[in-house]
Amino acid sequence: MSPYPSELLAPLPIKVRPHPAEITEAFIRRLARANHIRPSLLHRICTGAGLSSGRFHLDRLAILAGTSAEILERTLVNDAALLLQVKPSLHGDDDENAKRQRDFRIQRDAQGRGLTIRILAQRHQVSRRVVRRALNAARPHPRELIARQARLTKPVKDLITALLEQGLQKTEIWGHLIDEHDVMIHWPALAYYVRKWELDRDREPLPPIQSVPYSSYLCSPWPLPDRPAGG
């Protein structure tokens, strides 16, 4: 049960218009900062069920933004959708697979969001002819899509490590990254990295390797020869 029931929510004083094909997390940060609210708090309200799900309730966000859920659904792009990509075809080369992935990204951004061909061309750094061809291409079947695993970059890892060394917990780190650094990461990726850091911290160091005097006979499968007397 969410501590923020939908019936208790109300539009925020300062309205912020969503940009076409804007990531949902980015819109939440802009809306929160415009109203002097911590973005992590607004994120918790919009997810409702908790951080682990990461699924936004657009009806909650629509109430806070003073708009309709239909407009947000048509305008915004969920961060999870950015992890989707087209499965590489075994019958195509690297150039063909890259082209299919590029066409899929253009189709995703243009999906009923009112973006012009010129804006799409600028966003994806291609010509308008490429955009038109991508929009007329066949959409990939859901079976052809796979989700990439969210990965943390080295600067984010170093920042998380510094916060862990200060004794912060996962939820505190997650909120700190959003509120202080505008860094939004997936909760499973954060939980995995924290768990790995804790295991490395608690792992006992291996004992030092003791050196053994060298002998050419140590590894020989044959008996050692008898040494002559006085040798």
Side-chain angles (χ1 to χ4, degrees), residues 3 15 20-21 29-30 33 50 62 64 71 91 120 183 193 197:
K15 291 188 177 182
R29 288 198 300 269
R30 290 200 301 117
R33 298 201 184 283
L64 296 170
I71 291 178
H91 305 289
L120 288 170
V183 174
Y193 182 79
W197 181 86

Side-chain angles (χ1 to χ4, degrees), residues 84-87 104 139-147:
L84 289 178
Q85 64 181 11
V86 182
K87 292 180 182 178
F104 170 69
R139 268 57 171 175
H141 193 275
R143 291 196 302 266
E144 298 180 286
L145 300 179
I146 56 176

Side-chain angles (χ1 to χ4, degrees), residues 87-99:
K87 292 180 182 178
S89 175
L90 299 178
H91 305 289
D93 54 21
D94 293 342
D95 292 339
E96 293 177 355
N97 288 324
K99 176 181 174 297

Side-chain angles (χ1 to χ4, degrees), residues 116-128 131:
T116 64
I117 292 179
R118 178 178 61 84
I119 294 178
L120 288 170
Q122 293 175 349
R123 182 185 293 261
H124 295 274
Q125 299 181 349
V126 295
S127 65
R128 301 183 188 184
V131 172

Side-chain angles (χ1 to χ4, degrees), residues 39-150:
S40 59
L41 174 61
L42 202 60
H43 187 286
R44 292 172 187 268
I45 296 175
C46 294
T47 52
L51 300 177
S52 59
S53 66
R55 297 177 58 184
F56 293 104
H57 296 275
L58 292 184
D59 55 342
R60 291 170 169 267
L61 181 57
I63 294 174
L64 296 170
T67 184
S68 66
E70 291 75 14
I71 291 178
L72 296 182
E73 185 175 4
R74 186 174 65 247
T75 306
L76 300 177
V77 177
N78 195 337
D79 190 33
L82 301 180
L83 297 176
L84 289 178
Q85 64 181 11
V86 182
K87 292 180 182 178
S89 175
L90 299 178
H91 305 289
D93 54 21
D94 293 342
D95 292 339
E96 293 177 355
N97 288 324
K99 176 181 174 297
R100 294 179 67 227
Q101 181 62 31
R102 182 197 62 201
D103 291 348
F104 170 69
R105 290 196 298 265
I106 294 175
Q107 294 170 358
R108 179 199 61 208
D109 286 353
Q111 193 171 8
R113 296 187 172 91
L115 292 176
T116 64
I117 292 179
R118 178 178 61 84
I119 294 178
L120 288 170
Q122 293 175 349
R123 182 185 293 261
H124 295 274
Q125 299 181 349
V126 295
S127 65
R128 301 183 188 184
R129 184 176 60 180
V130 171
V131 172
R132 293 189 183 95
R133 187 167 58 239
L135 296 179
N136 293 327
R139 268 57 171 175
H141 193 275
R143 291 196 302 266
E144 298 180 286
L145 300 179
I146 56 176
R148 295 183 292 109
Q149 184 178 2

